Each structure stands twice: as structure tokens, then as C-alpha cells.
Amino acid sequence: MNHFKFFLVIFTSTLLYMLPGQQIFAQHQLKGMHPQQQIDFVKKQLKARKEPYVSAYKALLFKADSALLISQHAVEDFSIPGFYVDKETHRRTSRALQVDGFSAYSCALAYQLSGKTKYADKAIYFLNAWASVNKKYSQLDGSLVMSYSGTALMISADLLKGYKRWQPEEVTQFKWWTKNVFRAAANSIRYRNNNSGDWSRLASILADVYLEDKEDMQENISLIKKDLFDKIATDGHLVEEVKRQGKGIWYTYFSLAPLTASSWIIYNQTGENLFQASRDGASFKKALDYLFYYNQHPEEWKFFKNPDTGNVHTATGFWPANLLEAMNGIYPSLQFDEYLAPYRPIMYPTHDYAWTFPTLMPLRLNEYQ
């Protein structure tokens, strides 16, 4: 009896000591968009009640709790017309994947940080829906939107890899969908030299992480490195994206977001640091500084008069603040920090998913030491 009481005390004490985010299920070592060191770092900040992490975490839980009430919107044929052909239909048909992807992502991340299985189970619900219902993509922008919005589903899947309540047959089906629908869509356009190629390579890399496909991962890395400095000019402007008339600043963001996200995953997977790469003065930092400046001074933009800029009221989300917040962990900048501080916690819940929760999930190149 005394032995039993001793065991009970020890067992109870252990449960009480467990951090709020500890899982009771075996997890694999995360090395994708959210590496294990990042997850552990954020948990420590939350346990210590540090800002802006606490506020950002509350914002995440609000989205995750809302997602618990949402039904999935998976379609057999993800058919998206070209944006400049039919903007209204493009936006409307894209929304199914965007809503479900962000909902899954919110729940998967909430599970990792809280340990609450209700969030994991709901994320799995969305992943299973797309894996079982969606069989193809079509029309001009089916592959592109699958790439820049479906990234949220792939990040979710990585966060839930090893979750024991995700049934083996469901995992098998999701892997089939990842390879034959999602990555097939991405790889069909990854040889493009502009933002479309950048998003498709990010999507493909995320699929490679989940599928543990090192060969295809290497192909994506080679493609990114091959044309990176054909895209970034020596003064920091993005050669292909500034051609987009009034949308040039937006497309600069829309290219740098997946390029930097891919580079982050490459760093986590291989240790190779493209954030420090340069050629003739061109670099990611130069491109980010260029974007930052002209988003605030569009009247000086030499490529087109009155270009669109991003701000807190932008319909798609507050760009480029989400990108700058993420990159502030790589390139600490007082200018970036002063610009971003009034808007924290920054979240990017719609349209494209590279830097979605940048305040909550900061980037570090020192393994969070």
C-alpha cells in the first residue's frame, strides 16, 4: 500500500509538473517550417508569460477555437480560373482551400503549443477531407493557388506527423494526395522564373519534408540557388516582379515570402544558409530593405506611378509586415522593429501561407540559444 501511495504521489507530481504544451503522444523531430527548437523556445516564453508571445498565442487560440466550429470545403476538382481572366470566380473558388488550410494550420500549431488533442483532431479532419475528396486541379491558376494556399495544409501535416490518433490508412491516403495532387501541381510550374515558381518550389519543399523525399528536395534546392540572383538585382529590386505595373510592390512581397520561407526550411533541413548568400551586392537583406522603403515611399517607385502598397487594412492581410516580422529574426533591424511594434502580434490569415504567425513563431539561426 505504501509503495502504491509513493507511486501515486510521484505520478501525480509528474502530471502537475508537465508543461501546458507537453504532448502525451510520440512526436517526430520537427525540421520543416517549425523546427523543434522553435516550438520548445515558444513554449518557454509562454511559460514565463513573456510578450509579445502571450498575446500572439491568444490570437492563435482564438483562430483555432473558431476553426473547431468550421466544416471542411474540400472539392474533387480544385478548378481556379486565371486571376486576370475572372477575378471574382478566382477569389471565390480559391477560398475553399484557404479557409481549410488556415483552419488546419491554426489547430495543428495550437496542438503543438497546448497539447490539447481537440486541436489536433480538428486539423486532421481538414487534412483527411482534402486527401480523400480532392483528386485534381485544373484551369489556369489551379496549380498556382494550390501551391501558395495549400502550403498551410502541408505545414499542418508536418506538425502532426507521428500523432497517434491519425489513423494509418488516413496517413497513407494523405501521402498519396501529397504526392499525386499537391506536389504534382507544384512541380508542374516550378520551372517558372517568377513568383509562381517561388511558391511552387516552397510547396514542393514542404511536400518533400513530409514525404522525406531527399532527391526531390535537392532538385528544389538546386532550382532556387540557380536563379536566385537572376531575380534579385544589385540594388535589391526583383527583376521579374517590378514588371507587374501597379502591383509591382505586392509581387515583390509575393516572391520574397516563399523564397525566404524555402530558405528557412533548407536551413533547417541541411544547415545551408542562403540568408547570408550574395552576388555583386545582391542579397535577401538588400531586397527586404528595398521592399520596406518603397512600401512606405510609393511615390518614389520608378517602375509605375501610384503602385499598390500593403497596410494593416489590406484585404489579403497585412503584407509586407508578416514577411518583415519573420525576417527581423534573421536580420535584426531597429527600423523594422519600430515599424512593426504598433501592430504586434502580427498574423496573416488569408490568401498565401509562408509567414502566417511570425510574431508567435520567431526565426533564429543559432538554434534558439
Side-chain angles (χ1 to χ4, degrees):
M1 186 67 174
N2 288 338
H3 289 298
F4 176 74
K5 285 183 178 179
F6 176 77
F7 170 78
L8 187 61
V9 169
I10 294 298
F11 179 70
T12 305
S13 298
T14 302
L15 286 179
L16 291 174
Y17 183 72
M18 285 176 69
L19 296 176
Q22 273 188 289
Q23 281 86 3
I24 57 173
F25 300 104
Q27 297 290 304
H28 80 130
Q29 189 70 12
L30 297 166
K31 292 180 67 177
M33 180 62 80
H34 298 299
Q36 194 65 50
Q37 296 97 327
Q38 184 190 57
I39 296 284
D40 295 341
F41 172 82
V42 174
K43 285 182 182 180
K44 288 180 182 178
Q45 308 315 304
L46 295 175
K47 186 183 179 186
R49 306 297 298 168
K50 288 187 178 180
E51 290 290 356
Y53 302 98
V54 171
S55 296
Y57 181 54
K58 288 178 180 177
L60 167 68
L61 291 183
F62 179 81
K63 295 295 188 182
D65 287 338
S66 299
L68 295 176
L69 308 175
I70 295 175
S71 297
Q72 56 85 13
H73 304 87
V75 292
E76 180 179 4
D77 182 3
F78 190 63
S79 181
I80 312 294
F83 180 74
Y84 294 103
V85 175
D86 186 348
K87 293 182 181 180
E88 183 179 343
T89 302
H90 175 102
R91 290 190 178 109
R92 176 175 50 79
T93 51
S94 297
R95 205 167 293 131
L97 180 56
Q98 290 161 0
V99 169
D100 287 6
F102 180 76
S103 297
Y105 191 176
S106 301
C107 287
L109 190 55
Y111 166 67
Q112 276 288 344
L113 297 176
S114 73
K116 293 183 178 180
T117 58
K118 66 178 180 179
Y119 295 125
D121 292 342
K122 188 66 177 188
I124 295 296
Y125 161 81
F126 289 111
L127 298 180
N128 286 344
W130 281 85
S132 59
V133 173
N134 180 227
K135 298 293 189 285
K136 60 181 179 178
Y137 54 91
S138 64
Q139 291 202 71
L140 186 62
D141 277 352
S143 54
L144 176 58
V145 180
M146 180 73 77
S147 294
Y148 69 67
S149 298
T151 48
L153 291 180
M154 292 312 309
I155 296 168
S156 307
D158 187 51
L159 288 168
L160 294 166
K161 201 169 185 180
Y163 179 62
K164 291 187 176 180
R165 287 165 62 149
W166 197 359
Q167 298 301 310
E169 63 275 15
E170 295 170 344
V171 172
T172 298
Q173 180 63 32
F174 187 81
K175 286 181 177 178
W176 182 91
W177 177 82
T178 296
K179 184 176 181 179
N180 295 288
V181 182
F182 177 77
R183 194 175 68 177
N187 286 1
S188 71
I189 58 172
R190 67 176 169 178
Y191 297 99
R192 294 179 182 177
N193 68 342
N194 63 357
N195 63 82
S196 297
D198 300 329
W199 278 107
S200 62
R201 292 170 192 178
L202 172 60
S204 188
I205 281 177
L206 287 166
D208 295 337
V209 169
Y210 181 73
L211 296 170
E212 300 178 17
D213 188 338
K214 293 183 179 180
E215 184 177 347
D216 195 68
M217 170 75 73
Q218 191 54 55
E219 175 66 16
N220 283 307
I221 293 172
S222 297
L223 287 170
I224 290 168
K225 291 168 64 176
K226 182 180 179 181
D227 63 9
L228 179 59
F229 293 112
D230 295 330
K231 295 176 177 180
I232 303 175
T234 54
D235 67 350
H237 80 265
L238 265 63
V239 176
E240 292 301 318
E241 311 311 326
V242 299
K243 298 175 182 178
R244 304 300 290 266
Q245 299 186 341
K247 296 286 187 181
I249 296 177
W250 153 257
Y251 277 109
T252 295
Y253 154 78
F254 199 58
S255 179
L256 284 172
L259 277 171
T260 52
S262 292
S263 298
W264 172 240
I265 297 168
I266 291 167
Y267 176 76
N268 294 329
Q269 285 280 309
T270 71
E272 184 171 7
N273 186 358
L274 296 180
F275 294 109
Q276 299 304 321
S278 65
R279 189 179 79 185
D280 300 328
S283 65
F284 275 135
K285 183 61 166 64
K286 184 75 71 72
L288 291 164
D289 287 342
Y290 195 93
L291 170 63
F292 176 66
Y293 182 84
Y294 286 102
N295 189 65
Q296 293 181 291
H297 303 91
E299 70 281 358
E300 297 181 34
W301 184 254
K302 65 183 179 181
F303 300 99
F304 199 82
K305 289 185 177 181
N306 302 315
D308 290 350
T309 56
N311 58 67
V312 71
H313 304 296
T314 308
T316 50
F318 188 13
W319 65 270
N322 63 322
L323 168 63
L324 297 174
E325 177 81 321
M327 291 298 101
N328 202 34
I330 302 288
Y331 311 106
S333 163
L334 183 61
Q335 275 192 313
F336 286 7
D337 211 51
E338 289 177 346
Y339 171 70
L340 298 165
Y343 305 109
R344 291 181 176 131
I346 293 167
M347 184 185 297
Y348 195 82
T350 57
H351 195 260
D352 53 280
Y353 303 104
W355 303 117
T356 309
F357 304 103
T359 302
L360 179 60
M361 309 303 292
L363 275 58
R364 300 286 187 273
L365 296 178
N366 64 354
E367 296 187 343
Y368 295 85
Q369 300 301 314

